[in-house]
Amino acid sequence: MVPGLKVFLFLSLNLLQEVKSSMVSLSNNGYEGVVIAINPSVPEDERLIQSIKEMVTQASTYLFEATKRRFYFRNVSILVPMTWKSKSEYLTPKRESYDKAEVIVADPYLKYGNNPYTLKYGQCGDRGQYIHFTPNFLLTDNLRMYEPRGRVFVHEWAHLWWGVFDEYNRDRPFYMSEKNTIEATRCSTHVSGRIMVMECQGSSCKSRKCWRDSKTGLYEPKCTFIPNKAQAARDSIMFMQSLDSVNEFCTEKTHNREAPNLQNKMCNYRSTWDVIKKSADFQNSSPMIGTEALPRPAFSLLKFKQRIVCLVLDKSGSMKFGNPISRLTRMNQAAELFLIQIIEKGSLVGLVTFDSTATIRNLLARMTSEKSYLEISANLPRQVGNGTSICNGLRSGFQAITSSNQRTSGSEIILLTDGEDDQISSCFEEVKSSGAVIHTIALGPSAARELETLSDMTGGLRFYANHDVNGLMDAFSGISSRSGSISQQAVQVSKNLWKELIYGTVLVDSTIGNDTFFVITWTIQKPEIILQDPKGKKYTTSDFRGDDKLNIFSVRLRIPGIAETGTWTYSLFNKAGKSQLLTVTVTTRARSPTTPPVIVTAHMSQNTAQYTKPMIVYARVSQGFLPVLGANVTATIEAEDGHQVTLELWDNRAGADTLKNDGVYSRYFAEYHGNGRYSLKVRVKARKTATKVNLKQPNKALYVPGYVENDEIIWNPPEPEYPDNTDTSVAGRVNTGGSFTVSGTHPGGDDTPPGFPPSKVTDLEAQFEGDHLHLTWTAPGNVIDKGKVHRYVIRMSKHSLDIEEDFNKATLVNTHFLIPKEAGSRENFKFKPENIENGAKLYIGIQAFNEANLRSEVSNIAEAIKSIPGLGTKIPTPSLTIFLFVLTPLNNRVAFSRRIWRTGC
């Protein structure tokens, strides 16, 4: 065995990191810079643009009224895809793009329903990622289950922009109030209606009142709340914006603190209006005065253009350093991979190198064939120079674009440097006025600290690479198209092996295999290579090609046509006679534009942090727009000094995770190791149990089942039933989540502050089993969500406010025999409450204490009913109403006959 031999295999699907740098601003009460982007897969239809305009115009007025004359939409850009025909009214985007849009318009993957929703997975008050509307939602009139689209937009905007949550709960539509009455989960309780069940056989349906469930004491599962169409209630928009009377958010006066909804759970029982009032927008604005009519929103129509990228690469003297190979060689390896394997076909690409001066190596050239890629890669720098002038490099990058008869506005610059430059701020204004997007890659700890400013001011991505030999390849692989065309994006899977004769496997699943490359790199001598496809066809060292003139220690093999589905095997034999580093990189693309592969996007909760506050790692695993469940997701965070922390991320509603089974895996991070830049990389692989796609989306407008009108129930068409989660394949995915910076740590040593308590328990559940109360929750950690807590304190009361407002005065439960488990484990605890009569309702809370006696926040409040007198009896029903439904297509609605029979019970 050759000592010290290191092998890395990585085959990952990389999309843009999801740190959203929005262009939206608030000016004199009006939102400017809102972008609504149409997915490239949506067929051209001018009606979509008109519908979007009508929706936003209606929403602007409704938002203004709902926020008490404080906010409205002043201007909105509608971004149409390249696949649509060009028109004179279509302008060229500047920094607007699909991946940064506040609203996207796209068909749902697997096409289940037209539910509008907001992708949001942060904490209370955190902004979401985007709002998703389907074309069918925008083009189909008379969708009574949602009602006016402008109102739906305001509901979703509140999710996206102010970080509030829904005030209904589809999983718990009813609850037992402290007055021992069954209430619909809603806000406010002033919203009136009936509680009914609709049962259908063929075209004949009947409506009846509900039974009580013998186990829960609540109504049966099929029971639903039917609101009165005519209401006096004015709130709340986050419950049911479709009611004509509703034009406000729930306030402190009207907020329903008892409702078991996400708003109460995530925002500590604060009203939606209270959360909105704490936002920066609210704090920095005042209500508009005067009686002038609200100005209508102004719309700009933009058409996405071909991708234009210019590489601006550092070749200063410090680039000759590095171990085991120079930084210049590592940069050239990664740049060549980007040019040949990552950049999308048809893109325009240029090349600039710089030290104290800059040289245009290539004007823009269209990437149409292997020849065009190789012409640029042949001009990658082979020698280093002296000095570092980042501004000269950027100016030459702009010149390479304009000299090719293209505009810098909307173009992309990939800027890589390892050097310091105290003059970088001198070109900030030029960068702003250029309209270009600057992606920055900081190589090594000495790279200019102002680099991130360039990314932040232009909406670009930011990366950091140092000790991780794959860091530069990961960074370049993460700079994909911003157009929303997933089928063109490149795919990567990662392993580390330590053998003289290396055997490994790569799984190509049924969704990938187009444009597949295998790349081998080394540090001393090319190894002997054997690669075999699933059908037994072999490729050897002689099949791999490389550019010997560049001397970048790499060769590659492009698989003709579509790569075979299944397990590929490879072996590498180190012929150098001494230790060297070998890497295997496999990139591929989607097999079909109609079947998206599983992807992972990752980011931190913020780009900068103080070491006194923990951050959150987020990784979203999805296929199309649907979340992928049951994956094994790990994050590796590397500090400037090479110190690494690996975290298993959770999708179990514990710790930092907001929702269970939403495909967003998260974890707290607080193990800081010095000031400076940190990099994030996330790996995904399947567990032994099946990995599934979840067909349901959270954070969406309520699908209203019907209305009571003129004392009659008018049912809407039933919501489409979603099938069980479907299996999917996760052969392995990797995503670089970019970089972030930390400040305020003490020099040297372990910088984890001793003051972090255990994280809050957020998933406490309680249920009576006879006379005993059974509690379950996910264990927090000794420090946030790592380690094991020292002890738990559990208290209970017959009044929720005792737990919520004065926990220490609630009745203490004996937990002497409760031994805490490791963080992330499932805790179970049973006890027998004393003197609890039948029908009593208990509220329970829990606190965790660590060894330093630091306590967590009080958990979510769980509730349990011991029993209900007369379980299983039918609630008296004065009459039974039978409707005969005649199902006929009428503008995609269901028409009902007016034949009605009423019978006594």
Side-chain angles (χ1 to χ4, degrees):
M1 176 176 179
V2 179
L5 180 64
K6 306 176 185 178
V7 177
F8 297 85
L9 163 71
F10 51 101
L11 162 64
S12 70
L13 180 65
N14 285 305
L15 291 187
L16 297 177
Q17 66 189 85
E18 284 196 358
V19 178
K20 296 277 283 193
S21 53
S22 175
M23 297 174 59
V24 176
S25 62
L26 183 68
S27 176
N28 296 323
N29 300 92
Y31 284 114
E32 300 180 337
V34 178
V35 176
I36 300 177
I38 300 174
N39 189 278
S41 65
V42 174
E44 185 168 0
D45 192 333
E46 290 186 357
R47 295 179 302 154
L48 267 180
I49 294 177
Q50 185 58 35
S51 180
I52 291 170
K53 290 181 177 181
E54 292 172 357
M55 177 182 69
V56 174
T57 301
Q58 184 184 68
S60 184
T61 302
Y62 189 55
L63 180 67
F64 188 67
E65 181 182 11
T67 57
K68 301 175 173 53
R69 301 179 61 83
R70 197 174 290 262
F71 306 123
Y72 68 97
F73 295 111
R74 175 176 282 121
N75 63 60
V76 173
S77 296
I78 301 175
L79 182 61
V80 305
M82 285 180 59
T83 51
W84 288 26
K85 296 176 182 177
S86 296
K87 294 185 178 181
S88 58
E89 61 264 36
Y90 291 165
L91 306 177
T92 300
K94 295 181 179 178
R95 295 188 173 110
E96 298 88 351
S97 64
Y98 182 92
D99 69 293
K100 299 290 186 182
E102 283 67 46
V103 182
I104 60 175
V105 178
D107 288 315
Y109 177 56
L110 299 180
K111 296 185 182 296
Y112 289 111
N114 294 290
N115 293 320
Y117 71 92
T118 299
L119 179 61
K120 170 179 166 49
Y121 45 78
Q123 305 300 302
C124 181
D126 290 348
R127 288 180 180 171
Q129 302 300 303
Y130 58 76
I131 298 168
H132 180 186
F133 294 126
T134 67
N136 198 36
F137 170 79
L138 291 169
L139 295 176
T140 303
D141 292 330
N142 301 320
L143 287 175
R144 284 171 49 91
M145 63 290 295
Y146 299 114
E147 287 294 348
R149 282 184 280 263
R151 289 179 168 232
V152 174
F153 187 24
V154 172
H155 175 102
E156 300 303 334
W157 183 262
H159 280 313
L160 177 79
W161 206 247
W162 298 312
V164 300
F165 293 86
D166 288 321
E167 292 170 330
Y168 63 87
N169 188 335
R170 298 174 61 86
D171 296 324
R172 291 191 61 189
F174 300 98
Y175 67 97
M176 184 68 69
S177 74
E178 290 197 11
K179 297 179 181 178
N180 279 333
T181 59
I182 301 178
E183 295 286 347
T185 301
R186 66 199 192 281
C187 191
S188 69
T189 54
H190 297 150
V191 178
S192 60
R194 296 184 189 177
I195 299 172
M196 305 292 288
V197 170
M198 181 175 71
E199 296 176 336
C200 295
Q201 289 186 347
S203 61
S204 177
C205 296
K206 64 180 180 179
S207 174
R208 63 169 175 81
K209 289 194 174 181
C210 302
W211 297 67
R212 281 191 173 180
D213 185 280
S214 59
K215 293 182 179 180
T216 65
L218 301 175
Y219 292 125
E220 61 189 288
K222 292 183 179 180
C223 198
T224 187
F225 175 75
I226 312 296
N228 293 319
K229 188 65 174 173
Q231 293 274 350
R234 300 187 64 183
D235 43 20
S236 169
I237 292 170
M238 300 313 294
F239 170 59
M240 195 175 288
Q241 77 289 330
S242 59
L243 296 173
D244 292 340
S245 65
V246 169
N247 56 11
E248 294 181 356
F249 295 95
C250 261
T251 65
E252 293 180 10
K253 293 182 179 179
T254 59
H255 181 58
N256 180 9
R257 300 166 68 96
E258 292 188 64
N261 55 35
L262 268 182
Q263 176 62 27
N264 277 330
K265 176 178 178 290
M266 296 303 303
C267 297
N268 288 324
Y269 305 93
R270 294 160 58 200
S271 71
T272 52
W273 185 241
D274 183 56
V275 175
I276 293 170
K277 287 198 300 183
K278 296 296 191 297
S279 69
D281 288 351
F282 196 99
Q283 297 294 319
N284 297 322
S285 63
S286 301
M288 292 177 64
I289 58 175
T291 58
E292 294 183 5
L294 188 68
R296 293 172 64 86
F299 295 94
S300 300
L301 301 182
L302 311 176
K303 185 174 185 290
F304 200 84
K305 65 176 184 178
Q306 62 190 343
R307 191 178 187 196
I308 298 174
V309 180
C310 187
L311 304 182
V312 178
L313 307 180
D314 187 350
K315 67 175 189 69
S316 60
S318 56
M319 292 292 288
K320 69 182 178 183
F321 299 114
N323 184 29
I325 57 177
S326 71
R327 292 175 180 171
L328 189 74
T329 299
R330 287 174 58 195
M331 178 185 74
N332 286 344
Q333 286 178 344
E336 186 182 61
L337 178 138
F338 177 79
L339 291 167
I340 297 177
Q341 300 171 226
I342 305 299
I343 190 70
E344 297 77 18
K345 192 176 242 186
S347 301
L348 294 173
V349 180
L351 174 63
V352 168
T353 60
F354 70 94
D355 41 45
S356 59
T357 61
T359 302
I360 298 175
R361 299 278 184 172
N362 291 84
L363 295 175
L364 296 181
R366 191 174 301 280
M367 301 293 100
T368 56
S369 64
E370 187 172 352
K371 179 182 178 182
S372 54
Y373 298 114
L374 294 176
E375 284 178 353
I376 295 183
S377 63
N379 286 327
L380 290 170
R382 304 177 194 179
Q383 302 293 328
V384 299
N386 295 305
T388 303
S389 176
I390 292 172
C391 285
N392 282 341
L394 289 172
R395 291 185 184 109
S396 293
F398 297 150
Q399 184 181 348
I401 295 171
T402 56
S403 297
S404 303
N405 298 318
Q406 299 293 331
R407 298 178 180 176
T408 58
S409 182
S411 300
E412 299 171 68
I413 298 284
I414 299 178
L415 171 64
L416 183 150
T417 184
D418 76 335
E420 298 179 358
D421 182 357
D422 58 7
Q423 298 297 313
I424 188 172
S425 61
S426 65
C427 59
F428 280 177
E429 289 305 316
E430 293 174 68
V431 169
K432 287 180 183 178
S433 62
S434 73
V437 175
I438 313 294
H439 308 299
T440 59
I441 303 174
L443 177 56
S446 299
R449 294 296 167 181
E450 296 83 0
L451 274 181
E452 284 76 12
T453 304
L454 290 170
S455 296
D456 293 345
M457 73 169 59
T458 64
L461 305 176
R462 52 197 295 191
F463 300 94
Y464 172 66
N466 189 18
H467 294 272
D468 183 354
V469 69
N470 296 324
L472 281 183
M473 288 189 175
D474 292 337
F476 274 101
S477 298
I479 308 175
S480 302
S481 169
R482 296 147 48 89
S483 69
S485 181
I486 294 177
S487 64
Q488 295 189 21
Q489 313 237 348
V491 183
Q492 246 184 24
V493 186
S494 188
K495 296 178 184 176
N496 297 342
L497 302 172
W498 297 75
K499 295 181 181 178
E500 178 179 346
L501 180 61
I502 301 103
Y503 295 99
T505 60
V506 176
L507 177 61
V508 175
D509 63 55
S510 60
T511 66
I512 55 178
N514 193 19
D515 197 27
T516 302
F517 286 87
F518 284 76
V519 181
I520 312 297
T521 70
W522 60 91
T523 56
I524 299 176
Q525 181 178 343
K526 181 166 61 176
E528 182 180 335
I529 308 164
I530 299 176
L531 174 69
Q532 181 172 297
D533 75 11
K535 291 187 175 180
K537 181 177 181 179
K538 287 188 177 181
Y539 303 88
T540 61
T541 308
S542 60
D543 296 309
F544 286 72
R545 298 285 184 265
D547 189 339
D548 294 333
K549 294 180 181 178
L550 273 178
N551 193 29
I552 59 175
F553 303 92
S554 70
V555 290
R556 64 178 28 83
L557 168 68
R558 182 176 186 177
I559 305 301
I562 303 293
E564 292 288 346
T565 299
T567 300
W568 292 63
T569 60
Y570 65 88
S571 62
L572 304 178
F573 181 70
N574 178 25
K575 299 167 60 178
K578 57 182 176 179
S579 174
Q580 70 167 331
L581 176 67
L582 306 178
T583 73
V584 180
T585 304
V586 184
T587 65
T588 185
R589 301 183 195 273
R591 182 175 296 262
S592 166
T594 59
T595 304
V598 172
I599 62 172
V600 56
T601 48
H603 66 93
M604 302 298 293
S605 54
Q606 60 226 48
N607 285 330
T608 58
Q610 291 286 327
Y611 94 113
T612 53
K613 296 181 180 180
M615 301 179 74
I616 300 176
V617 187
Y618 291 113
R620 181 173 183 252
V621 187
S622 59
Q623 185 173 20
F625 293 103
L626 298 177
V628 173
L629 314 182
N632 181 289
V633 184
T634 57
T636 301
I637 298 172
E638 182 178 331
E640 280 192 359
D641 62 2
H643 178 78
Q644 291 187 351
V645 174
T646 300
L647 301 171
E648 180 180 356
L649 307 187
W650 298 336
D651 184 19
N652 60 358
R653 204 177 66 185
D657 195 59
T658 304
L659 296 172
K660 183 177 181 179
N661 290 340
D662 65 346
V664 178
Y665 299 75
S666 54
R667 197 79 183 270
Y668 284 108
F669 170 71
E671 295 181 62
Y672 303 122
H673 208 263
N675 297 320
R677 296 182 174 104
Y678 288 65
S679 64
L680 167 67
K681 183 188 295 184
V682 170
R683 290 178 171 86
V684 178
K685 62 181 180 180
R687 296 183 185 273
K688 292 182 180 179
T689 55
T691 306
K692 297 180 178 294
V693 172
N694 186 355
L695 302 178
K696 298 179 181 179
Q697 287 283 9
N699 296 317
K700 61 185 181 183
L702 179 62
Y703 191 106
V704 181
Y707 297 97
V708 180
E709 298 184 51
N710 299 321
D711 205 35
E712 293 181 7
I713 297 177
I714 308 298
W715 292 94
N716 288 325
E719 183 174 10
E721 291 190 8
Y722 297 92
D724 293 335
N725 299 336
T726 60
D727 292 343
T728 190
S729 57
V730 182
R733 301 291 187 261
V734 175
N735 173 261
T736 173
S739 66
F740 61 97
T741 56
V742 174
S743 60
T745 65
H746 301 297
D750 182 5
D751 292 299
T752 302
F756 288 147
S759 60
K760 174 183 176 179
V761 172
T762 59
D763 61 347
L764 178 63
E765 296 179 355
Q767 183 176 354
F768 269 100
E769 297 177 357
D771 290 333
H772 287 77
L773 190 58
H774 183 197
L775 305 181
T776 59
W777 67 94
T778 303
N782 185 62
V783 177
I784 313 179
D785 57 4
K786 294 195 72 175
K788 186 189 301 183
V789 303
H790 181 60
R791 63 188 175 95
Y792 292 110
V793 170
I794 300 174
R795 294 182 182 271
M796 64 180 182
S797 175
K798 293 182 179 180
H799 305 285
S800 61
L801 287 179
D802 291 346
I803 304 295
E804 184 184 336
E805 296 184 350
D806 200 349
F807 183 69
N808 290 331
K809 289 186 178 180
T811 302
L812 183 66
V813 176
N814 184 353
T815 57
H816 179 71
F817 296 103
L818 175 56
I819 301 175
K821 298 179 181 178
E822 195 72 20
S825 303
R826 198 66 182 158
E827 300 274 25
N828 287 273
F829 181 65
K830 289 184 180 181
F831 67 98
K832 182 179 180 181
E834 300 296 333
N835 303 318
I836 302 299
E837 66 278 3
N838 283 344
K841 182 179 182 181
L842 287 182
Y843 298 90
I844 306 96
I846 187 170
Q847 270 189 320
F849 288 72
N850 64 13
E851 293 177 344
N853 210 35
L854 296 173
R855 68 184 68 186
S856 69
E857 296 181 50
V858 177
S859 70
N860 65 294
I861 300 175
E863 56 188 62
I865 303 170
K866 185 173 183 181
S867 65
I868 300 293
L871 289 178
T873 60
K874 185 168 130 180
I875 298 175
T877 308
S879 64
L880 181 67
T881 304
I882 300 177
F883 298 85
L884 179 63
F885 296 123
V886 180
L887 305 179
T888 59
L890 179 60
N891 293 327
N892 294 322
R893 296 179 56 188
V894 177
F896 305 108
S897 78
R898 303 303 297 170
R899 286 172 282 179
I900 300 173
W901 291 267
R902 296 187 185 275
T903 63
C905 289

